[in-house]
Structure formats: structure tokens, C-alpha cells
Amino acid sequence: MTLLGLGSAGKIAAAAVWRDGRMLASFSLGAGLTHSQTLLPLCDGALRAAGLTMDDVTSVAVTAGPGSFTGLRIGLAMAKGLCFARGLPCAGVSTLEALAWELPVDGCVLCALDARRGEVYCAAFCVQGGKVRRLCEDHAAGAAQLLPLVQSMASPVYLMGDGAHLVYGALADKAPLVLVDEPLRLGSAAGVCRCALAHPEAFGDADALAPQYHRLSQAQRERAERLAKEAAAPGAPGPSTIQKQERI
């Protein structure tokens, strides 16, 4: 089995090649360029470094969310294209669980991604003996709102992800937290591969891949707010009438 892992949900773009139980190559880049510019070259570089080509790949894994809306769409589109061209199975994995698979020590880990608007995408896990056990589902919340979750976890709680510093800043004086060093904290596609292999049931037709955003996009939120204001205005038509007018 030769698995190509792709990560594009966060600030870095990443690609890795896993074959027969070991990692052959793992490349990451956080130079500020868009993932549309970097993900495909990283994929090509990882395969070349492993002495392989796409013809050797038997399956693909990709971060399906949560994370950057644009980044997720880039990664999923690329994964689908690669799989459609060769009829390969593909697995979409949780970005947060993939981060948990990167933790190098046993313990509890809170994985958090910067969701903007004062929130993080987050989930908690327990890492023991090279295995990852989920403690809660992926969700979005304010960093300060995570105190009850953190207090329910065994100490110390390790923080992973590009939103980890937000949680640390909000809760470090209230709970024993360990902010993992940044190069490791941001994750890599190696975690994507390990996460996918832990969930063999996730592999299937690439056509079924869909992003898991966990909240509305900014455009959708702004539209909903505008519709609510228009509907609340004196003498305004109802929401269904406004939506019908927009379609016209």
C-alpha cells in the first residue's frame, strides 16, 4: 500500500508518502504563498524524494475539515482530481484528529485551529501507546469557553494547531497547559496518513469527499444577518419573499 497524504486546511501546505508501514517522505511549506501554488509541487517533491510517481500510489488521504474554507477546497479538489484520473480510493480525515496523531508523547491534547472572529475549531484527544482516542467531537468555540473541557482532561494538556496560542493566551493562568513548539504544533501530512490508516472505513470513492466546515462561511453569515435585518424592518416582506426576489 502506498498512501499519499495531503494537508491544506491550516496555515501550511503539506504532502507525505507512506508505504508499507513507514513514512518515506514528508514535505511542508508555510512561506505565505497560497496552497493553490504550493500543494501540487509539494506532492510532486514528496513522491520524487521517495523515488515514486503517482503510478505507484494506491490511495490518497486529505484533510476534510475543519479549517480554512479556501484551503479545504483546494486540497479536496486536488485529491479528487488525482483519484478520478486513476480510480484510486480516497479518505477525508478530521484536520484536528490528524494533528493529534502528530503529538510525540503520551497525554491529553487539545487541537485548535484559528477560526477567526474570536473562535477556534477544536477537539480533545487522549494519546496513549501510539494510539489516539477522541474525547469530544470537532466544534467551534471561543477560546475562553474551553475552560470546562480543559479542566476535565488529565494534566498537563498539550496544545496543537495554529490556534493553540489563542487557547494558551486565554487559559494558561487557569489550567496547566503546554504549548507544543511551533514547527511540530502546526502539523504535517504525516499525521494525515496516520489518521487515515487508523480509520480504514474512511476510504471510498473520491466523489463522496465533502468539506466539513463546522460553521457557515463569512458570506453566508453576512447574508443571513442582512436578511434578518431586512425582515425586521417595518413593512418589510417576509424572508421567503426576500429570498425569492434575490433569485429573480
Side-chain angles (χ1 to χ4, degrees):
M1 178 182 184
T2 301
L3 174 63
L4 174 65
L6 305 174
S8 63
K11 292 182 178 179
I12 65 168
V17 180
W18 183 286
R19 190 175 208 184
D20 298 332
R22 65 191 183 97
M23 186 61 58
L24 298 185
S26 180
F27 286 12
S28 300
L29 184 63
L33 300 175
T34 67
H35 296 343
S36 61
Q37 295 174 284
T38 58
L39 190 57
L40 191 57
L42 285 172
C43 173
D44 182 62
L47 287 168
R48 287 176 179 272
L52 304 173
T53 70
M54 273 303 302
D55 291 334
D56 299 301
V57 174
T58 58
S59 56
V60 176
V62 61
T63 47
S68 159
F69 283 39
T70 301
L72 289 173
R73 289 193 290 267
I74 290 170
L76 290 170
M78 179 172 160
K80 286 189 175 190
L82 293 174
C83 290
F84 287 158
R86 293 170 172 78
L88 302 178
C90 188
V93 305
S94 162
T95 311
L96 298 167
E97 184 174 344
L99 283 168
W101 280 97
E102 299 270 6
L103 190 70
V105 297
D106 286 351
C108 287
V109 55
L110 180 67
C111 299
L113 298 172
D114 188 355
R116 307 295 176 89
R117 296 171 65 94
E119 291 188 336
V120 293
Y121 299 114
C122 58
F125 305 88
C126 178
V127 180
Q128 187 70 41
K131 303 295 183 181
V132 173
R133 177 169 58 89
R134 181 179 285 274
L135 301 179
C136 73
E137 295 303 312
D138 298 354
H139 63 287
Q145 297 173 337
L146 298 177
L147 182 59
L149 174 60
V150 170
Q151 291 177 332
S152 71
M153 300 164 67
S155 300
V157 176
Y158 295 92
L159 300 178
M160 294 279 288
D162 62 30
H165 66 288
L166 300 175
V167 179
Y168 188 84
L171 303 178
D173 60 340
K174 302 178 180 66
L177 302 176
V178 177
L179 190 62
V180 176
D181 289 343
E182 183 171 322
L184 181 60
R185 185 169 77 233
L186 298 182
S188 73
V192 177
C193 291
R194 296 181 67 194
C195 184
L197 292 170
H199 298 282
E201 73 283 357
F203 286 91
D205 192 329
D207 189 52
L209 280 177
Q212 303 299 316
Y213 293 134
H214 293 281
R215 76 175 190 187
L216 296 176
S217 69
Q218 181 175 344
Q220 289 172 314
R221 290 194 301 269
E222 291 176 351
R223 178 177 180 274
E225 291 169 0
R226 177 171 55 80
L227 290 176
K229 289 179 180 178
E230 292 175 354
S240 60
T241 303
I242 295 173
Q243 291 172 2
K244 187 179 296 183
Q245 291 172 347
E246 284 188 340
R247 288 195 293 271
I248 294 173

